Amino acid sequence: TLSYDLTQGEESEQKLYVDTTDYIQNYYNQARILNRSAAQFAVGVFQRRLASSTYALLCSLKKRLDKLDTLIAKIRAGEITMEQLAQRQRRLDDDARDPFDATADEEGTEGGREEHELEEEKLLEGVVAVSLSQLLVERGKVESLIHLAQRVYDRGEESKFEKLRELLRLERFANEKVIIFTEHRDTQTFLLRRFEGLGFTGRIAQINGG
């Protein structure tokens, strides 16, 4: 097990880690009264993606923003009432399950996507707020996190990847094939792009459950 230090500063991995942790603790703890299990699993999704890569977290935050925008638009159009919003919270808990409860061998696929990916998406659709004003506040927070995550990603400073690249440059790996495992397909996409940028185009095979 190898450790690495997160980048520091106002636009850094450490800042993104702190702000994302603050978001999931504050907003998803509010939902525990109505959908305790779903909130707990949703927190796990964000935490796992945060630990996986900045890009994986960025993808999840963008999905969350899309869900919030859809809900806000439907409420403003009178398609969803506040009571229906609360009902969505309660109903989600009945169907919620841990996306990583099964092993890869036990998982099924649907439309080229792995089972845990579909479960993650369902959890990201979960409603935390019980009013339009709360949804708007959460939307502002998520949008702020997306901007920070995008800036961190655009800087190209990924401490975990730098540690990986450092290892692969060691003499003992010079002529070796290497297998890299990751939980998230978004992180797999990120790794492919980074390695191709380092000159490994055509020398990488991708395998996933889809």
Side-chain angles (χ1 to χ4, degrees):
T1 300
L2 300 166
S3 62
Y4 55 93
D5 295 322
L6 299 177
T7 57
Q8 304 291 313
E10 281 304 303
E11 295 183 357
S12 67
E13 292 173 317
Q14 183 65 42
K15 172 70 171 169
L16 181 60
Y17 180 88
V18 170
D19 287 4
T20 303
T21 301
D22 179 66
Y23 161 65
I24 59 180
Q25 286 179 343
N26 286 337
Y27 284 86
Y28 280 86
N29 278 340
Q30 291 175 18
R32 289 185 184 279
I33 297 172
L34 293 178
N35 52 3
R36 194 165 301 169
S37 297
Q40 182 180 346
F41 294 149
V43 167
V45 168
F46 279 112
Q47 287 176 328
R48 282 174 178 270
R49 285 183 160 262
L50 180 59
S52 185
S53 67
T54 298
Y55 182 71
L57 175 65
L58 181 58
C59 290
S60 284
L61 290 170
K62 286 180 176 180
K63 287 177 183 176
R64 181 66 186 167
L65 186 65
D66 285 343
K67 301 304 179 188
L68 290 171
D69 281 342
T70 299
L71 269 178
I72 289 168
K74 286 185 175 181
I75 290 171
R76 284 175 166 167
E79 296 175 28
I80 297 177
T81 65
M82 293 302 104
E83 176 54 33
Q84 288 171 325
L85 198 65
Q87 286 175 359
R88 284 189 174 209
Q89 278 207 14
R90 290 189 285 267
R91 191 166 58 245
L92 182 65
D93 203 43
D94 296 332
D95 302 326
R97 74 178 189 86
D98 188 344
F100 294 93
D101 199 28
T103 65
D105 289 338
E106 296 169 330
E107 271 197 309
T109 60
E110 184 180 316
R113 303 182 67 197
E114 296 170 68
E115 200 173 321
H116 81 267
E117 291 176 314
L118 298 172
E119 288 297 328
E120 279 191 14
E121 196 156 302
K122 192 186 298 181
L123 287 167
L124 289 177
E125 292 178 0
V127 183
V128 177
V130 291
S131 68
L132 178 59
S133 60
Q134 286 181 335
L135 281 172
L136 290 170
V137 170
E138 185 188 354
R139 189 198 183 282
K141 181 63 178 176
V142 172
E143 191 172 41
S144 174
L145 284 172
I146 288 173
H147 290 157
L148 176 57
Q150 189 68 61
R151 291 195 299 271
V152 172
Y153 176 70
D154 290 343
R155 290 166 75 102
E157 299 174 352
E158 187 90 21
S159 300
K160 196 174 185 180
F161 180 80
E162 291 306 317
K163 175 59 72 173
L164 174 60
R165 183 165 64 168
E166 177 187 315
L167 286 170
L168 296 180
R169 283 176 168 169
L170 295 177
E171 188 176 342
R172 70 174 184 267
F173 293 125
N175 298 303
E176 294 289 339
K177 292 181 180 179
V178 177
I179 300 176
I180 301 170
F181 293 90
T182 181
E183 283 182 330
H184 301 287
R185 200 186 304 207
D186 291 327
T187 297
Q188 187 183 59
T189 300
F190 160 75
L191 288 170
L192 178 68
R193 290 174 182 169
R194 290 300 299 270
F195 280 122
E196 286 182 340
L198 292 174
F200 289 92
T201 303
R203 298 165 61 189
I204 306 167
Q206 290 185 86
I207 302 170
N208 57 57

